[in-house]
Amino acid sequence: MKVFQTVHDIQKCLLEINDKHGKTFGFVPTMGALHQGHLSLIQSSKEKTDITVASIFVNPTQFNDQKDFEKYPIQIDKDLEMLLDAGCDIVLVPSVEEVYPYGTVEKTGVNLGFLGKTLEAEHRKGHYEGVLQVVKRLLDIVQPDFLFLGQKDYQQCLVLSKLIEHYHLPIQLEICPTLREKDGLAMSSRNMRLTAEERTMALQLSASLFYIKEHINDFPIKTLIETELEKLNQYDLIKTEYLEIVNGKTLKKIKHFNPKIPTVALIAAKVGEIRLIDNVIIT
Ligand code: PAF
């Protein structure tokens, strides 16, 4: 596995591979603190492409909360070991200066429309502008054929598909299923910051989503959401930001369930100090 810190060095390597062998490239962008969910993206990339490239970069421009940025777990050596074991071919671990040589003021011109106003966008102002900015830059550097993202960041997948569409990038987006712990908790780098008590409480989030999926035909949407919010609100440690059942393509709220329309339930909540998100595809 080759590890690069500069744009110049990784691009030299990628060009050499491309010129000599005409290989396909899969790209897995990460912010490190890797878990099995990330490794499953590496696995998918290995199955689909010739060369798998990952990046580890905690992007400062996508954090709306400075404290969250400062506390974001960093474990580069362990991450590199995990990527090596997973069979990743190339890793970029750039500095802020390498990613943003001209500073961070200039954002992309992607118009997200409603996607940029709802759910995560509403609760984390500026978050997706930062995600678009860093992913555009990383895609320009790596120029992959395939981009692998996790369904756990459902809205991010829609946002980045808009990025690809906006710039007509010749990149195929592959969305890989959310990996869960045995008890249902969605894998996340943030889970490692939960105390034992918070970890137990965090299970209520996926439990609510699973309940909604199971009972989507049994109650009106409004009742399902109210009941689940009430359950979650019983716990002092949980502060729900949103729990919504929406059209899986537009993210607009749905009033009545129609199995023919893509539907997804999404949740964001703080468990103690840790903000978690999760979602379940209903149809
Ligand atoms: O999902 C993430 O880890 C980040 O948002 C991403 C896509 C690596 C961009 O920083």
Side-chain angles (χ1 to χ4, degrees):
M1 184 174 80
K2 291 184 173 145
V3 181
F4 297 101
Q5 275 155 3
T6 68
V7 173
H8 172 269
D9 289 350
I10 191 171
Q11 282 191 325
K12 189 162 170 269
C13 168
L14 293 172
L15 271 174
E16 270 168 20
I17 298 172
N18 222 4
D19 282 354
K20 279 193 206 125
H21 312 286
K23 306 267 189 198
T24 56
F25 289 88
F27 180 45
V28 181
T30 82
M31 297 209 299
L34 303 183
H35 50 70
Q36 289 304 319
H38 294 109
L39 300 186
S40 75
L41 301 182
I42 299 287
Q43 193 52 42
S44 300
S45 172
K46 282 177 66 63
E47 282 162 19
K48 188 126 200 155
T49 70
D50 299 317
I51 305 283
T52 294
V53 183
S55 62
I56 301 174
F57 178 65
V58 185
N59 173 36
T61 71
Q62 70 185 74
F63 286 84
N64 56 319
D65 175 355
Q66 182 65 18
K67 260 196 261 152
D68 191 27
F69 173 58
E70 281 159 14
K71 290 197 176 148
Y72 203 83
I74 293 184
Q75 45 166 55
I76 301 283
D77 291 343
K78 189 168 170 218
D79 289 344
L80 290 176
E81 236 171 75
M82 288 166 82
L83 289 172
L84 179 68
D85 288 349
C88 182
D89 300 296
I90 296 173
V91 190
L92 176 65
V93 191
S95 63
V96 173
E97 291 72 25
E98 281 292 319
V99 175
Y100 299 120
Y102 306 110
T104 57
V105 174
E106 201 178 318
K107 303 287 190 294
T108 69
V110 181
N111 178 3
L112 291 176
F114 186 69
L115 285 184
K117 294 190 179 72
T118 187
L119 302 173
E120 285 301 283
E122 185 182 344
H123 290 267
R124 301 185 69 188
K125 296 275 184 252
H127 170 63
Y128 285 127
E129 284 73 10
V131 170
L132 285 165
Q133 181 184 34
V134 75
V135 175
K136 174 67 168 60
R137 171 75 172 134
L138 292 170
L139 292 178
D140 285 347
I141 296 168
V142 177
Q143 299 189 20
D145 302 286
F146 294 86
L147 171 64
F148 293 85
L149 298 173
Q151 183 212 307
K152 177 165 163 292
D153 294 291
Y154 190 90
Q155 191 171 0
Q156 172 169 274
C157 294
L158 295 182
V159 162
L160 292 177
S161 119
K162 281 247 177 203
L163 175 79
I164 291 172
E165 200 184 293
H166 178 91
Y167 290 103
H168 305 290
L169 302 175
I171 298 173
Q172 192 172 315
L173 177 57
E174 297 285 329
I175 300 173
C176 305
T178 303
L179 253 65
R180 296 183 180 279
E181 305 290 352
K182 282 202 186 77
D183 54 15
L185 181 68
M187 289 189 188
S188 162
S189 305
R190 290 189 162 87
N191 292 352
M192 60 177 84
R193 290 174 53 204
L194 296 166
T195 64
E197 192 189 359
E198 289 164 356
R199 167 75 182 67
T200 308
M201 275 295 131
L203 289 178
Q204 299 302 325
L205 276 54
S206 50
S208 276
L209 295 173
F210 294 142
Y211 182 91
I212 286 173
K213 181 171 169 122
E214 204 181 318
H215 295 278
I216 194 80
N217 285 307
D218 303 340
F219 304 101
I221 297 283
K222 192 166 173 283
T223 315
L224 267 178
I225 293 195
E226 278 170 8
T227 318
E228 287 314 296
L229 279 176
E230 219 169 276
K231 281 189 208 162
L232 292 164
N233 289 342
Q234 293 174 69
Y235 303 103
D236 288 344
L237 272 179
I238 302 179
K239 298 271 173 285
T240 312
E241 288 187 7
Y242 60 78
L243 172 63
E244 303 279 9
I245 302 173
V246 301
N247 178 305
K249 289 216 160 72
T250 63
L251 298 189
K252 296 236 161 106
K253 284 185 206 181
I254 57 162
K255 289 206 174 95
H256 308 285
F257 177 59
N258 176 349
K260 292 199 186 111
I261 292 176
T263 304
V264 57
L266 302 106
I267 190 166
K270 271 200 166 168
V271 181
E273 287 298 303
I274 313 302
R275 188 176 188 279
L276 300 176
I277 58 170
D278 197 359
N279 67 80
V280 163
I281 293 176
I282 297 172
T283 50

